[in-house]
Amino acid sequence: MATPREDEAREYLEKHRIFELFNNLTSQLVFHRPEKPKEFMIKVIESLKEARTTQIDYPCLFEDSNVVSLFCMMDPTKKGVVTLAQYKEGMKTLGVENFDEYPNGAENDKITQDTFVREARHGLKKSSSTFMPIP
């Protein structure tokens, strides 16, 4: 059982999304493997700060081309659609949490590339914006 002080610390870290921030920084470090990791982390945090202000260009491991490549791997016959199950698995593969479980096309079990990319972009933006919004 956690002490009141431990509960208070956990609540603070969750409120300010510190766990997500460190997960983001660690992922960026492992992916890019910079020669100067401390300087790199400072740049990532600065770009997060800039993105908070502009609401664009969040530091993210995946670009649209990566998302499209994933979609194409799930659609080897080039039908231009994937199943709802493939869509959900693709979102999980990208590390997207809290995505729309039933996007456009779900009712027909046909999720288009445009929908997949849009949903992935939205989810990646949310997961990459590891800071509190400006009040």
Side-chain angles (χ1 to χ4, degrees):
M1 183 169 181
T3 67
R5 183 73 177 143
E6 290 170 330
D7 286 339
E8 182 182 310
R10 182 188 41 76
E11 287 173 18
Y12 175 84
L13 294 171
E14 288 174 357
K15 177 182 177 184
H16 294 282
R17 298 185 66 194
I18 302 302
F19 294 121
E20 291 95 335
L21 174 62
F22 278 98
N23 283 336
N24 188 340
L25 285 171
T26 303
S27 296
Q28 294 278 348
L29 281 169
V30 171
F31 183 78
H32 293 286
R33 298 183 188 265
E35 290 292 319
K36 298 179 180 180
K38 292 174 188 167
E39 289 179 19
F40 177 83
M41 288 189 294
I42 290 168
K43 287 180 183 177
V44 170
I45 291 171
E46 286 173 345
S47 64
L48 284 169
K49 184 178 174 184
E50 178 71 21
R52 178 181 63 188
T53 304
T54 64
Q55 295 293 304
I56 56 173
D57 294 330
Y58 296 92
C60 183
L61 294 178
F62 300 106
E63 298 175 354
D64 281 356
S65 62
N66 303 121
V67 175
V68 170
S69 293
L70 176 59
F71 181 89
C72 291
M73 288 189 313
M74 295 186 300
D75 180 29
T77 58
K78 301 192 185 323
K79 292 181 181 177
V81 295
V82 295
T83 66
L84 181 60
Q86 288 174 305
Y87 159 80
K88 290 179 178 181
E89 193 59 36
M91 292 297 128
K92 290 177 186 173
T93 298
L94 293 169
V96 174
E97 298 177 2
N98 303 318
F99 54 89
D100 185 353
E101 294 276 334
Y102 298 96
N104 290 340
E107 63 280 355
N108 301 323
D109 202 29
K110 294 181 178 179
I111 311 300
T112 66
Q113 180 176 324
D114 288 342
T115 298
F116 184 84
V117 171
R118 182 178 57 253
E119 293 296 327
R121 190 180 298 139
H122 178 73
L124 289 168
K125 177 182 175 184
K126 282 180 14 182
S127 65
S128 295
S129 59
T130 51
F131 48 78
M132 296 298 290
I134 297 174

